[in-house]
Each structure stands twice: as C-alpha cells, then as structure tokens.
Amino acid sequence: MESVRFSFPAPEIDESVDELRKEVRAFLKEEVRSGGFIPVTDCWCAGVDPDFSRKLGQKGWIGVTWPRQYGGRDLSALHRYAITEELLVAGAPVHAHWIADRQSGPLILAKGTEDMKRNILPQIAAGKCFIALGLSEPESGSDLASVRTRAARVEGGWEITGTKLWSSGARHCQYMTVLARTGERDPDKRHAGLTQFLVPLDSPGVTVRGIRDMSGVEHFNETHFESAFVPDDAVLGAVGEGWKQVTSELALERSGPERFLSTFIVLEKAMQHSAAGMNGHQAAVFGSILARIRALRAMSLGVAALLDQGHSPEIEAALVKDLGTRLEQDIIERLREFWPIQMKQGYGDEFQSLMSDSLLRQPSFTLRGGTNEVLRGIIARGVGLN
Ligand SMILES: Cc1cc2nc3c(=O)[nH]c(=O)nc-3n(C[C@H](O)[C@H](O)[C@H](O)COP(=O)(O)OP(=O)(O)OC[C@H]3O[C@@H](n4cnc5c(N)ncnc54)[C@H](O)[C@@H]3O)c2cc1C
C-alpha cells in the first residue's frame, strides 16, 4: 500500500496574533472578576448569553477573517484561532454566535447573495445575528444524504416541508441553514438533488421547539417546516450543490480548538486545586493530558494553516476531531480518579459543579459534528483502506 502522509504544517504566528490574544485574555479575566460571566464547561455548546456575544461583537472579535466591507476585519485564521482558544479556555458563554462565526458566516461569504453578505454578515460580526445548522433529521444523522425535508418550487421561491432535529441553539437564532431535497431521490446518485437554504426562523410555517437534554439544558431543538415559503434568493449557493457545500463546511466544523478544549476549564481548576499537594501519580496524569493537548493543538493549528492556504483538509480535520473529543472525555474520566463526582446537590462548589456538568455533557462530544465511528470511516477511506 502506498504510504499516506497527513499534512499538519506549523503556521508562522506573527506578533499581532499574540497581541490580540493578550487583549482577549485581559478582557476575559476582567469579565470573570467583575461577574460578567460565570465560567461553564463545554461553553461553546452550553453557554448561551446573547449580551455577551454582543460585547464580543463590539470588541470586533466575531467574523474577524471576513472582509471589512461585510463587517469583518480582514484578519487571518490564526487571529480567529487565538480569540476562540482564549474564549474556550476561559469557559466563556459563546454558544449564541459560535456556529455563525465558525461556519455559517464563511458559507454566506463563499456562496451567499450580495444582499446576504451586506445585510447578514455585519449583524453576525456585531454579535446580533445567530444561525442554526439544519442538517440532521429524525432518521438522518450519520447518513445525512438520506434527508427527507423537501423544498418544492413555487412561484417566486420554494416551499419547505419537513423536520430538522438536534439543531443546537435554534431557539436563540434568527436563521437556520437548511439542507433540503430539491430533486428526485436517485439511489445511484445519493448526494445529488440537495440544496441549502438560509431560512429566517420567524417565517410563517416554521416552529422551533426546545428539547431538554440530560444536563437539564434545552440546547437541542426540533424545527418543523410546514410548507414554509422562502423566496428564490434564500437559496444558498447553487440548486443541487447542497451536498458539496455541506461537506466543504466540515473541515471548519471539525478541526477547531473546541474539539479538544471543551473540558479544559475543569482541568485548569483541578490543577489549581491540587497545586499545593500534587502527588507523583497526579502529576503524571496531568502531564500526559497536557502532552496530548499540545499535540492536538499543533494538529489543529496545522488545519487552520491549510484552510488559510485555501485547502479543504477533511481527513486531517476528522483526525483532530476523533482524537480531540476522546481527550475531552478522558480528561473527566481521569479527574474522577481523584475527585469522585457528587451529582448536583445545589451549585455551591464551583469545581464540583463543573465536574458534574462535564460528566453529563461528555457523551455528546463524540457524537456532535459527526460520530467518531463515521470519522474513522472517512480517515480509513482517506488512507485507502476501504
Ligand atoms: C450536542 C449535539 C449537538 C448537535 N447539533 C446539531 C446541529 O446543530 N445541527 C444538526 O443538524 N445536527 C446536530 N447534531 C446531530 C448530530 O450531527 C448527529 O447526532 C450525528 O451526526 C449522529 O447522527 P444520529 O444521532 O442520527 O445517530 P446515527 O447516525 O443513527 O448513529 C447511531 C450509531 O451508529 C453509528 N453509525 C452510523 N453510521 C455508521 C457507519 N457508516 N459506520 C460506523 N458506525 C456508524 C454511529 O457512530 C452511532 O454510534 C448534534 C448532536 C449533538 C449530540
């Protein structure tokens, strides 16, 4: 078998990235000190605070890689990386704008109409417009090409009918990117006939219902579309190109620091807890976790560099997500050796609360954004194994 090389180039990080990082870090420290937010575990999924997102928008820290004419700052993917890393490490409540900043905004920039770019991107960058991902359905998750939500052509636009499931944060969002079937199903061409739409969630015929997860949070949503009308210019990209567009978003979705830092806040608190009396075994555990984080960070930065160069590193991104999400879970499992979790009996102890929240949230890490089994299938195909 031909040997396969993964590419994780080490990017050059210039001074302006470090300057920006320091600025973000100082701001977050002050926010925590002044009670602006209480750090949460898995903050990019569990921490929703639209006011905080607006504050970040005012600082100019959302959509930084987009052109200035659309509300961005023309900065590099590495500047964005530094901002997101600092937010995650601080456990800041960033979920409201996270998906729009990470992938819906870039999708609009690449495929949207000029009106979408002029009207929606600046609102996202200001932390005022949030977008949900409408991919999964009741019987379509891993097998996304089987989606049944249908968009039928009508005069002046399309009528969308179907149900999207598990959409993170949709109740707080103004829009959803909806993957819908616009062509006939063809068993020989499973990825054909799909189109993406940008649907305002206040459109007539759209209802969004929250679903409580086992941590008690209504993070998930079920969204029904009952002949919901959208005009022609709600098509994102080209009719029939939905599959190609969705898969090109995946490298953005799977490779960022949120795929290995979701539980970092707990690790940091644990290290602070034990700083005075750490024994050899604890030191070895912390050391091995930190070594894995360092390796993953290098890989994830490598993917950011590839994205900056215009590549679409899907296999590298799948590797980061598989290894990273398992690490996030391992962190909690290893810490439980030293700090058995007492499930919530009030929120008195900050560390216990972070631990028990993490325990309830960790099963989702290896599911969201594509399950690890599916990612391994992608990696295996990428290296020519099946
Ligand atoms: C916290 C969280 C947030 C989410 N947010 C969103 C969102 O915003 N928008 C959205 O559209 N979706 C979202 N999802 C849904 C997520 O994308 C799906 O849960 C995921 O793709 C798996 O689909 P499924 O749940 O239907 O499981 P299934 O696809 O039914 O999988 C069940 C099991 O079978 C395994 N399996 C399936 N196919 C294969 C295969 N080919 N090879 C090997 N094993 C396989 C899977 O690994 C899994 O263990 C979210 C999920 C979570 C947990």
Side-chain angles (χ1 to χ4, degrees):
M1 193 179 77
E2 206 181 308
S3 76
V4 178
R5 292 204 183 152
F6 297 110
S7 165
F8 292 103
E12 276 191 23
I13 299 181
D14 74 53
E15 254 174 47
S16 65
V17 173
D18 291 332
E19 286 306 311
L20 178 61
R21 180 185 291 283
K22 280 187 207 148
E23 207 189 317
V24 177
R25 189 175 290 180
F27 165 80
L28 292 169
K29 200 169 167 197
E30 178 52 25
E31 281 289 301
V32 173
R33 196 204 57 75
S34 64
F37 70 87
I38 296 171
V40 286
T41 185
D42 196 21
C43 66
W44 68 278
C45 254
V48 183
D49 182 347
D51 290 336
F52 185 75
S53 293
R54 255 169 238 129
K55 264 192 206 172
L56 295 181
Q58 280 162 8
K59 286 277 181 190
W61 292 339
I62 301 176
V64 293
T65 59
W66 310 341
R68 285 184 186 278
Q69 70 193 106
Y70 301 131
R73 291 176 60 192
D74 272 323
L75 296 178
S76 70
L78 295 172
H79 289 92
R80 179 176 179 274
Y81 197 98
I83 296 169
T84 53
E85 209 171 32
E86 290 302 317
L87 291 167
L88 292 163
V89 164
V94 288
H95 179 64
H97 70 272
W98 195 264
I99 290 170
D101 178 52
R102 178 181 71 189
Q103 68 196 89
S104 321
L107 175 66
I108 292 173
L109 192 60
K111 302 286 174 188
T113 62
E114 191 56 30
D115 264 4
M116 285 178 192
K117 290 184 207 174
R118 286 197 183 283
N119 297 325
I120 298 177
L121 291 181
Q123 290 297 308
I124 298 176
K128 295 177 180 169
C129 176
F130 312 130
I131 302 189
L133 280 180
L135 299 170
S136 308
E137 297 186 2
E139 283 169 45
S140 301
S142 305
D143 184 16
L144 194 58
S146 67
V147 290
R148 286 193 285 195
T149 294
R150 172 162 288 285
R153 255 231 159 279
V154 293
E155 201 185 327
W158 301 79
E159 260 181 15
I160 302 180
T161 302
T163 300
K164 291 292 172 183
L165 196 56
W166 311 130
S167 318
S168 300
R171 280 174 317 121
H172 309 285
C173 294
Q174 289 86 351
Y175 293 92
M176 177 180 282
T177 53
V178 174
L179 181 69
R181 191 159 290 289
T182 44
E184 282 315 307
R185 248 188 146 111
D186 178 348
D188 297 326
K189 292 189 197 147
R190 300 190 68 245
H191 300 146
L194 295 168
T195 302
Q196 274 186 300
F197 293 86
L198 186 66
V199 181
L201 287 173
D202 60 359
S203 305
V206 180
T207 32
V208 185
R209 186 179 70 84
I211 302 171
R212 194 173 293 268
D213 68 18
M214 68 179 173
S215 69
V217 175
E218 284 195 2
H219 163 79
F220 293 128
N221 297 273
E222 183 178 56
T223 308
H224 294 291
F225 299 86
E226 292 271 356
S227 305
F229 174 80
V230 289
D232 275 322
D233 60 9
V235 172
L236 249 176
V239 173
E241 293 291 302
W243 185 259
K244 214 156 85 190
Q245 291 174 201
V246 163
T247 47
S248 71
E249 279 176 58
L250 294 179
L252 294 175
E253 183 172 349
R254 292 177 171 163
S255 62
E258 68 268 41
R259 299 304 183 178
F260 57 94
L261 291 178
S262 302
T263 51
F264 186 87
I265 182 87
V266 196
L267 178 69
E268 195 181 30
K269 299 273 178 217
M271 289 194 291
Q272 284 164 4
H273 245 47
S274 46
M278 197 181 293
N279 63 35
H281 178 49
Q282 280 175 330
V285 168
F286 287 134
S288 80
I289 292 173
L290 290 174
R292 284 167 72 187
I293 290 178
R294 208 173 167 88
L296 272 157
R297 183 167 189 263
M299 291 168 73
S300 167
L301 276 166
V303 178
L306 289 170
L307 288 168
D308 239 7
Q309 294 160 15
H311 300 287
S312 188
E314 278 157 34
I315 303 173
E316 284 85 351
L319 264 171
V320 170
K321 184 171 179 296
D322 177 52
L323 294 169
T325 52
R326 279 192 283 147
L327 169 65
E328 294 176 332
Q329 291 178 332
D330 282 355
I331 289 175
I332 303 306
E333 290 310 315
R334 298 306 306 269
L335 295 183
R336 287 175 76 188
E337 285 177 36
F338 313 126
W339 291 281
I341 295 178
Q342 295 145 20
M343 291 314 288
K344 276 180 188 163
Q345 297 157 344
Y347 289 79
D349 180 324
E350 186 200 11
F351 179 65
Q352 270 300 332
S353 180
L354 285 170
M355 282 285 279
S356 56
D357 279 344
S358 301
L359 186 70
L360 293 174
R361 299 201 58 78
Q362 66 169 358
S364 70
F365 300 169
T366 48
L367 299 174
R368 60 193 181 194
T371 69
N372 283 30
E373 291 76 16
V374 167
L375 296 175
R376 286 174 209 166
I378 293 171
I379 298 163
R381 277 192 297 283
V383 299
L385 286 179
N386 68 359

